[in-house]
């Protein structure tokens, strides 16, 4: 097994989803292709063997080389399949990883969707913010502002929003207000994708130890769901339960 394989195993296991998928497809896969739904069901039935892992990766390979135009939700299912197979077929998972990267090297959005699902920690954070920017059709300044907005800001309107909306001006409240303003200042073209990216962003903050920002993002997700700005994907009290039906 190569050094890259070992690295990939580490990031996939570290970035593994909080909940396991069930047989019934969850809400975030509504109206997705039969091939993706079939892959999800295969993952949900995975028992853990080299043979099953090889068959699972074969199904992933057929999906990514098909004419199906993949979206973020599909990348989540592919990531789940890779996480399931990584301990049984690491070389095959590495090949799939390289194949997806190569296929989407000219598609910044899909490439960062994939990275947002498969990478962890600060790499997950950067790729998710990029994917969010592309999904919102925001200028490149969006990334830099989000990275530093909580530390310093001369945006009086934003500071006022943080104070009125969340009752304080702090690193966390300004960060939350910045995202709230960005997500409510326009009609979202891809609300389902934004809902999933916000969850990936929250998970990335969890992985780097920014638990206070993770909690803020969870509150933001619930806030946007209540206002019908993004769909309510979670099936329970945790925003990470979106993998359940």
């Amino acid at each position: 097994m190569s050094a890259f394989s070992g690295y990939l195993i580490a990031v996939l296991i570290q970035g593994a989803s909080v909940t396991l998928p069930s047989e019934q497809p969850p809400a975030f896969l509504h109206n997705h292709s039969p091939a993706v739904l079939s892959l999800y069901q295969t993952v949900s039935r995975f028992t853990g063997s080299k043979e099953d892992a090889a068959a699972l990766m074969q199904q992933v390979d057929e999906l990514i080389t098909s004419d199906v135009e993949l979206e973020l939700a599909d990348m989540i299912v592919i990531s789940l399949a890779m996480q399931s197979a990584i301990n049984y077929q690491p070389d095959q998972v590495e090949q799939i990883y390289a194949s997806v990267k190569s296929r989407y090297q000219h598609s910044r959005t899909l490439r960062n969707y994939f990275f947002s699902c498969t990478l962890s920690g600060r790499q997950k954070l950067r790729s998710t913010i990029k994917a969010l920017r592309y999904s919102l059709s925001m200028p490149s300044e969006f990334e830099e502002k989000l990275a530093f907005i909580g530390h310093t800001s001369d945006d009086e309107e934003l500071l006022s929003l943080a104070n009125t909306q969340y009752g304080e001006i702090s690193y966390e409240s300004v960060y939350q207000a910045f995202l709230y303003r960005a997500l409510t200042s326009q009609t979202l073209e891809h609300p389902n994708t934004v809902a999933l990216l916000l969850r990936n962003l929250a998970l990335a903050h969890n992985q780097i130890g920014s638990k206070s920002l993770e909690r803020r993002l969870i509150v933001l997700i619930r806030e946007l769901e209540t206002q019908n700005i993004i769909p309510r994907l979670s099936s329970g009290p945790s925003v990470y339960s979106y993998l359940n039906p």
Side-chain angles (χ1 to χ4, degrees), residues 7 11 115-116 119-128 208:
Y7 170 76
V11 297
F115 287 156
S116 179
L119 297 181
S120 64
R122 295 195 181 280
Q123 290 178 309
K124 186 182 193 73
L125 184 64
R126 287 193 293 269
S127 61
T128 303
I208 65 174

Side-chain angles (χ1 to χ4, degrees), residues 14-16 119-122 124 202-211:
Q14 184 181 356
L119 297 181
S120 64
R122 295 195 181 280
K124 186 182 193 73
L203 183 56
H205 279 295
N206 173 282
Q207 291 173 348
I208 65 174
S210 300
K211 299 297 182 65

Side-chain angles (χ1 to χ4, degrees), residues 42-74:
T42 302
V43 173
S44 71
R45 293 193 297 266
F46 184 73
T47 57
S49 69
K50 289 182 68 69
E51 293 74 18
D52 282 356
L56 186 59
M57 287 298 94
Q58 178 63 33
Q59 196 171 346
V60 170
D61 186 60
E62 291 173 357
L63 175 61
I64 65 175
T65 56
S66 69
D67 293 331
V68 175
E69 184 62 30
L70 299 179
E71 301 175 18
L72 175 62
D74 309 322

